[in-house]
Amino acid sequence: MRKNLAIIAAFLFSISLSAQEGPMERALTDGMVKVTDEIGDFSITDSDGNSWNLYEQLSLGKTVFLDLFFST
């Protein structure tokens, strides 16, 4: 029983070590994606014609979620 627990513990420990390098780090090393916490201020107009400013919405304490997509 103790041998099984030791094997399971070793397996879980090895998984946690390999989880340190997630998809973000791999993408950065491939040069495909750049992740940053700093975003410059910008304004955008939605499909209803309303204009939105990023820093203005953040200063109001709102959460900003951008859903950008491309279609052909």
Side-chain angles (χ1 to χ4, degrees):
M1 180 70 175
R2 287 185 188 214
K3 185 177 180 181
N4 289 341
L5 289 177
I7 291 172
I8 292 171
F11 176 72
L12 292 175
F13 182 72
S14 67
I15 289 174
S16 68
L17 288 178
S18 65
Q20 298 299 319
E21 182 184 358
M24 292 290 199
E25 288 83 2
R26 280 185 295 236
L28 286 174
T29 58
D30 294 339
M32 295 171 41
V33 176
K34 181 179 179 184
V35 177
T36 181
D37 291 332
E38 300 176 18
I39 297 177
D41 190 24
F42 64 91
S43 294
I44 192 167
T45 304
D46 65 16
S47 58
D48 294 326
N50 301 318
S51 182
W52 301 91
N53 179 273
L54 174 65
Y55 283 4
E56 181 181 315
Q57 296 302 308
L58 292 174
S59 69
L60 294 172
K62 296 185 177 182
T63 300
V64 176
F65 177 79
L66 299 176
D67 183 12
L68 306 172
F69 63 93
F70 175 79
S71 63
T72 57

